[in-house]
Amino acid sequence: MKQLKKWACTLLMLLVLSCGSTAVLSCAITPITAEAFTMVPLTKINKKKLTLDKGKTYQLKIKGTKKKVTWKSNKPSVAKVNNKGLVTAKSAGTAKITAKVNGKKYTCTVTVKVKKPSKPTTPQAPSQTEPSQPETDPPQTEPETPEKSGKTILKEYITKYGGTNSSGNKFISNKTTENGETNNCGIVYDRSSDSFSFILTTTDYDGDRTGTDMTVLNTNSGYSTVEYTYAVSDGYGSFSARATINQRTYNKNTNVQFEITDSSVGFSASIVDSAISLANIDLQISMLRWNLLLMNKVGITMQDIGFLSFG
């Protein structure tokens, strides 16, 4: 991929020179390809704690695997589970449901409650003008604690364990050096806008730099669009690319139509096409690095924060 980018840059410089322009385009190199990463699905149970009223049911699932799961309850008299993970509350108490798959165990603690009967009310003497009707209390139900969204989990993790930048915002990051190239990958939570900034900066052995900055709104209802910017500059030439992508539909095969701005080498069709191609490649690499950062630090994936088709 590094040779491909060098070749593309050389082609662009020849195109510019052939048009009589004195500007020179130099592209920052990112030697890592999307194929270099192996996506490992995160295996987890969909609920670790559960409260049910007697007689109620709940479907437990193991995410991230298609292999057969064995389910077992340590107290079937309190909460039983069938071979498909359906839990049925039987009597008051606490039971532990265990799922076994791929040699690993995943547990959910189930608390079963029994409603107390309503106290009977004393009926009033019947009136001569209207019939006597006993009062009834509305049914009392205990609401279940809703499962946290991926964005809520990410916000809580960064707020609790993250560092603090010069703007006072919390962040998590990871720095790697490979083949003379330094990559700084990070996620910043901006309290003022209640949003996340996904950042990747790359410096290669020649000193060339690229920067990727993607903003994701922390909305738990529906799915927000994502603003993505890309810039490359090494002192000779530079350009920026901007696009809006939809979290629900973006995947590894999506070809984003970027808008090229601030190009110091012109806006000919060949230059724009090459710049869009480079921006799409770097977006894929950035998404893979952010996904690994989420998995290693927080235990979630890009799918959990709204990129439903990425994985």
Side-chain angles (χ1 to χ4, degrees):
M1 182 60 67
K2 187 177 184 71
Q3 293 299 323
L4 176 60
K5 287 192 177 182
K6 289 287 188 180
W7 178 85
C9 293
T10 302
L11 176 61
L12 291 181
M13 287 191 289
L14 290 174
L15 287 170
V16 172
L17 291 173
S18 67
C19 296
S21 173
T22 57
V24 180
L25 173 66
S26 296
C27 297
I29 307 303
T30 305
I32 301 174
T33 64
E35 290 78 5
F37 293 88
T38 300
M39 300 301 298
V40 180
L42 180 65
T43 304
K44 62 180 181 180
I45 194 167
N46 65 330
K47 201 81 168 178
K48 293 184 178 180
K49 291 184 179 181
L50 183 63
T51 300
L52 294 174
D53 289 329
K54 180 181 176 181
K56 298 293 184 179
T57 61
Y58 187 86
Q59 181 66 55
L60 290 176
K61 297 178 182 178
I62 297 296
K63 300 180 179 180
T65 182
K66 294 183 179 179
K67 293 189 177 181
K68 183 179 179 181
V69 181
T70 303
W71 298 92
K72 184 177 181 182
S73 172
N74 69 335
K75 292 183 181 179
S77 60
V78 175
K80 71 175 184 177
V81 61
N82 65 11
N83 59 359
K84 294 185 178 181
L86 181 66
V87 179
T88 303
K90 304 294 291 182
S91 61
T94 301
K96 182 179 290 186
I97 306 298
T98 302
K100 186 175 181 182
V101 60
N102 294 333
K104 295 185 179 181
K105 295 181 178 180
Y106 306 87
T107 61
C108 174
T109 302
V110 180
T111 301
V112 179
K113 295 186 177 182
V114 178
K115 297 179 184 177
K116 294 182 180 179
S118 303
K119 293 182 180 180
T121 58
T122 303
Q124 296 180 349
S127 169
Q128 294 181 351
T129 58
E130 58 182 273
S132 173
Q133 295 182 348
E135 296 180 3
T136 57
D137 293 330
Q140 301 294 321
T141 58
E142 182 177 337
E144 277 190 34
T145 302
E147 188 174 358
K148 292 181 180 179
S149 70
K151 291 178 182 176
T152 298
I153 294 173
L154 178 58
K155 174 182 175 180
E156 291 179 353
Y157 183 92
I158 293 178
T159 302
K160 185 174 181 180
Y161 300 107
T164 304
N165 63 16
S166 58
S167 300
N169 292 321
K170 293 285 188 175
F171 70 92
I172 57 174
S173 64
N174 181 45
K175 182 178 181 180
T176 60
T177 300
E178 306 168 49
N179 301 322
E181 177 183 271
T182 301
N183 294 284
N184 284 289
C185 180
I187 304 173
V188 181
Y189 173 65
D190 188 335
R191 294 174 298 173
S192 61
S193 60
D194 194 26
S195 63
F196 302 97
S197 291
F198 286 70
I199 300 170
L200 177 65
T201 60
T202 301
T203 305
D204 69 8
Y205 57 85
D206 291 329
D208 295 339
R209 292 173 58 85
T210 60
T212 305
D213 190 344
M214 181 173 71
T215 301
V216 179
L217 299 179
N218 182 28
T219 54
N220 293 326
S221 58
Y223 300 91
S224 64
T225 55
V226 179
E227 293 291 338
Y228 168 79
T229 58
Y230 168 91
V232 55
S233 175
D234 62 3
Y236 294 98
S238 65
F239 70 88
S240 297
R242 181 180 295 273
T244 299
I245 60 179
N246 192 300
Q247 294 176 226
R248 291 173 290 180
T249 59
Y250 180 82
N251 59 52
K252 296 176 183 178
N253 298 318
T254 302
N255 185 28
V256 179
Q257 188 61 38
F258 287 93
E259 176 188 2
I260 307 302
T261 61
D262 301 328
S263 173
S264 65
V265 292
F267 294 92
S268 67
S270 58
I271 290 176
V272 170
D273 287 345
S274 296
I276 290 175
S277 177
L278 291 176
N280 270 285
I281 291 172
D282 265 31
L283 176 57
Q284 288 290 337
I285 294 172
S286 299
M287 292 287 288
L288 290 168
R289 285 193 176 276
W290 292 328
N291 194 65
L292 288 174
L293 178 61
L294 287 173
M295 292 174 63
N296 294 333
K297 292 272 189 179
V298 190
I300 61 176
T301 66
M302 294 297 287
Q303 285 184 330
D304 293 321
I305 64 169
F307 288 85
L308 303 182
S309 302
F310 188 84

